[in-house]
Amino acid sequence: MVAFDEPLPYIGVTPFQLVSALIILIVGYIVAKILVSLFKKSMRKTKLPPLVVEFLGRFLAVLLYVVIIIVALGAVGISVSPLILGLSAVIGLILGFGLQDTLTNLAAGVWIAALRPIDLGEVVEVSGQTGSVSGIGLMSTELKTPDNRVITIPNKLVWGSIIVNYTRMPTRRVDVDIGVAYGTDLDRAIKLAMDLMKNHSQVLDDPEPSVVITALADSSINLQLRAWAKTEDYWAVKGDLTKGIYELYTKEGIEIPFPQLDVHVREMPK
C-alpha cells in the first residue's frame, strides 16, 4: 500500500499532490465563477452596455481559468516558471504562423463591443444570416433564428460585412405590394387602401400612411401600401394589411390579376 506522501508508481506524483491539485481546480473554478459574477454585477451598475459587460466577463473568466490550471500544475510538482516560458514561446510561434485569424476575430470582437453596431436581443442580418443576437464572445457572435437555430459567426465576418439592424430604431415602415387590373379606378383603389391603413389600431398617424404606384407591369398596375408602425408591431401589421387588402379588394370587386398564358393550338396540315 502506497503512503499518502509517497509517489505513485509510474507517474511520480503523491496522492497528496493529486488531491491538492483536484481541490485547487474545484475551488478555483467556484471562486472564478463567483468573481466573474461579481464583476458583471458591478459592471452593470455603470453606463456600459450589456454587450460590453458580457464580453469583459468572458475575457476575465478565460484569464482566471488559465491561472487556476497553472496553479494546479504547480501543486503536482511541475515547475511553473519553465512551463510559462515554454508556453510563451509556443504561443509566440503559433501566433506567428497560425493564429492570425484568431487575433483578427479578437480585435473585431473588441470593436463590436465598443462601437455596438449590434446589441443583445436585436434582430440583425449579418453575413447573409438573420436572427436575434444572443451573445458575442471573444471570437464569435451568436444569432438565434426564429425557428430556434443558433448560428455562430466569426467576429471578423461580422465586423467585415454589411450589418442590417432591424430593431435598432423604434419605428419601421411596413410595405405591402399588390397589383390591380388595368382599367381599375385607381383613385378608388387608393382610397380603400388608405382607409384600411388609417383604421388599423397599430398603424401610426405620424408619419402618415401612403399608397404609391410602383410599376405598370405586364398584367397589372402595382401598388404599394406604406404604413408606419412600432418596431415590435411590424410583423403583426404586415400580416393584417396583406390579408386585409386582399379581402377588401375582393369584396369591393377590384380585380387582382395574376399572370396568365394563352396557348393557341393550330391543326397541323396532313
Side-chain angles (χ1 to χ4, degrees):
M1 182 174 181
V2 180
F4 196 64
D5 56 351
E6 292 182 2
L8 295 172
Y10 306 111
I11 61 175
V13 178
T14 66
F16 177 77
Q17 290 176 318
L18 287 177
V19 173
S20 299
L22 183 61
I23 293 174
I24 290 173
L25 289 175
I26 296 174
V27 174
Y29 176 78
I30 296 174
V31 172
K33 296 287 286 187
I34 294 174
L35 290 177
V36 171
S37 178
L38 293 175
F39 173 78
K40 289 182 178 180
K41 187 177 295 184
S42 64
M43 294 299 291
R44 291 190 185 101
K45 296 179 181 179
T46 66
K47 295 183 178 180
L48 289 175
L51 188 63
V52 177
V53 175
E54 183 67 22
F55 181 84
L56 293 177
R58 292 189 182 188
F59 189 77
L60 176 62
V62 171
L63 292 179
L64 291 176
Y65 294 152
V66 170
V67 171
I68 293 169
I69 292 174
I70 291 176
V71 173
L73 291 176
V76 296
I78 299 177
S79 180
V80 178
S81 298
L83 177 63
I84 294 177
L85 292 176
L87 185 62
S88 300
V90 171
I91 291 176
L93 185 63
I94 294 175
L95 290 178
F97 289 97
L99 285 186
Q100 294 181 1
D101 287 345
T102 301
L103 291 176
T104 303
N105 286 325
L106 180 61
V110 172
W111 282 113
I112 293 170
L115 300 181
R116 295 176 58 210
I118 60 178
D119 212 336
L120 291 176
E122 291 183 332
V123 178
V124 299
E125 180 181 343
V126 178
S127 295
Q129 303 294 330
T130 301
S132 61
V133 181
S134 58
I136 294 185
L138 297 177
M139 301 299 169
S140 62
T141 297
E142 290 184 354
L143 302 182
K144 187 165 72 172
T145 64
D147 58 350
N148 219 27
R149 292 178 296 140
V150 176
I151 300 174
T152 302
I153 306 174
N155 282 337
K156 69 172 185 176
L157 296 182
V158 176
W159 185 248
S161 66
I162 296 175
I163 299 174
V164 180
N165 195 317
Y166 292 105
T167 56
R168 176 65 59 90
M169 303 302 292
T171 60
R172 283 186 64 186
R173 194 181 77 184
V174 181
D175 296 339
V176 176
D177 296 307
I178 191 167
V180 296
Y182 281 95
T184 299
D185 185 346
L186 291 181
D187 291 336
R188 179 168 173 264
I190 291 174
K191 183 180 185 306
L192 289 171
M194 287 291 296
D195 291 342
L196 175 68
M197 291 186 289
K198 289 182 177 180
N199 291 331
H200 196 289
S201 60
Q202 293 176 306
V203 172
L204 302 177
D205 296 327
D206 186 23
E208 186 179 4
S210 62
V211 179
V212 297
I213 300 174
T214 57
L216 300 177
D218 292 338
S219 58
S220 66
I221 301 174
N222 293 341
L223 306 179
Q224 186 177 76
L225 284 64
R226 296 178 177 177
W228 288 86
K230 293 181 180 179
T231 300
E232 59 267 25
D233 298 332
Y234 175 86
W235 288 109
V237 173
K238 188 174 181 67
D240 289 347
L241 293 182
T242 302
K243 180 174 181 287
I245 194 63
Y246 170 77
E247 293 177 344
L248 181 60
Y249 279 2
T250 301
K251 177 182 176 182
E252 295 294 330
I254 295 178
E255 182 183 356
I256 303 174
F258 54 89
Q260 301 181 56
L261 179 64
D262 293 332
V263 179
H264 301 275
V265 179
R266 294 189 302 174
E267 184 178 358
M268 297 296 294
K270 294 182 181 180

